[in-house]
Amino acid sequence: MRAKSVTEQARRAQIVQAAIATIAELDYAETSFKAIAARAGLSSTGLISYHFRNKQELVDVVFADILERFQAFVIERMDQPTARAELEAFLRANIAFLREHRADMLAFLRIRAHAAVTDGGIADSDHVALAELLRQGQEAGEFRAFDPDVMAVFILAMRNGVVLRSGALDLDVCERELVAAVELATGG
């Protein structure tokens, strides 16, 4: 397989960014190559088909792109001395990423169920890692007794709710209230 030229790489990146913006605006079901081509300023959908066999392949690339950037952003901010501090850093990093990349987060949530998962669980990696962090905090006596898997579901549901309504919410208030709600829920 030949290496992609700089022009081809740039066109692929342009299509991925247009797909993210289109999915964020229209949702998954309404997103088509035609809508993406219009947003990207492409003369035809054939330019998308040249780079991506079908919508599924494009969605998988979009999902992987967002996930990689999101995880790197959050992980960079999570090296904290305690589980409680790490949990707060996780929440604040999620809101910080949302501030900077709202369309990415909306697109990610909207396509998560449609993206092909190749490793058997990458779409649920937030849940697994968060539940483990909560378990560690319990073992260290930083959190009260609760089911870490269930608490992880609740925390991520609150985070996802903020993402889905973020256009109508003050993210500074959301960050403060999300951290406070999780602190109250996890106890000490």
Side-chain angles (χ1 to χ4, degrees):
M1 182 177 200
R2 71 175 181 81
K4 295 194 183 322
S5 72
V6 172
T7 303
E8 288 174 320
Q9 290 173 12
R11 178 68 75 194
R12 263 180 84 88
Q14 176 190 15
I15 293 165
V16 167
Q17 287 307 306
I20 289 169
T22 304
I23 293 165
E25 180 184 332
L26 301 178
D27 207 351
Y28 173 80
E30 303 299 318
T31 297
S32 64
F33 277 12
K34 183 178 178 182
I36 295 167
R39 180 169 304 267
L42 303 175
S43 58
S44 85
T45 60
L47 291 169
I48 299 173
S49 297
Y50 175 79
H51 293 280
F52 301 96
R53 287 186 306 267
N54 52 38
K55 184 178 176 180
Q56 185 63 55
E57 182 182 4
L58 177 55
V59 164
D60 292 344
V61 169
V62 165
F63 183 82
D65 174 70
I66 296 168
L67 182 62
E68 181 181 328
R69 290 183 293 112
F70 173 73
Q71 286 180 330
F73 186 94
V74 172
I75 289 169
E76 181 180 302
R77 289 154 178 79
M78 292 221 13
D79 188 19
Q80 301 297 319
T82 65
R84 179 167 299 287
E86 200 155 306
L87 178 58
E88 183 176 334
F90 169 79
L91 297 169
R92 291 187 188 284
N94 273 258
I95 300 300
F97 189 84
L98 176 58
R99 268 189 195 93
E100 296 177 27
H101 307 282
R102 182 174 183 273
D104 296 46
M105 289 297 287
L106 281 171
F108 182 82
L109 288 181
R110 290 178 174 165
I111 64 173
R112 186 171 59 182
H114 304 284
V117 179
T118 57
D119 77 351
I122 200 161
D124 294 322
S125 62
D126 264 1
H127 176 265
V128 171
L130 182 55
E132 181 56 31
L133 175 62
L134 293 169
R135 277 187 199 89
Q136 291 170 3
Q138 286 176 322
E139 290 169 6
E142 296 177 54
F143 302 134
R144 68 176 178 79
F146 53 77
D147 183 307
D149 289 310
V150 171
M151 185 63 72
V153 168
F154 293 155
I155 292 169
L156 293 173
M158 285 190 292
R159 187 262 329 258
N160 293 347
V162 169
V163 170
L164 293 172
R165 299 271 313 182
S166 61
L169 300 172
D170 179 329
L171 291 180
D172 291 334
V173 173
C174 286
E175 179 179 346
R176 185 173 57 248
E177 294 302 329
L178 181 60
V179 169
V182 170
E183 189 173 305
L184 288 169
T186 57

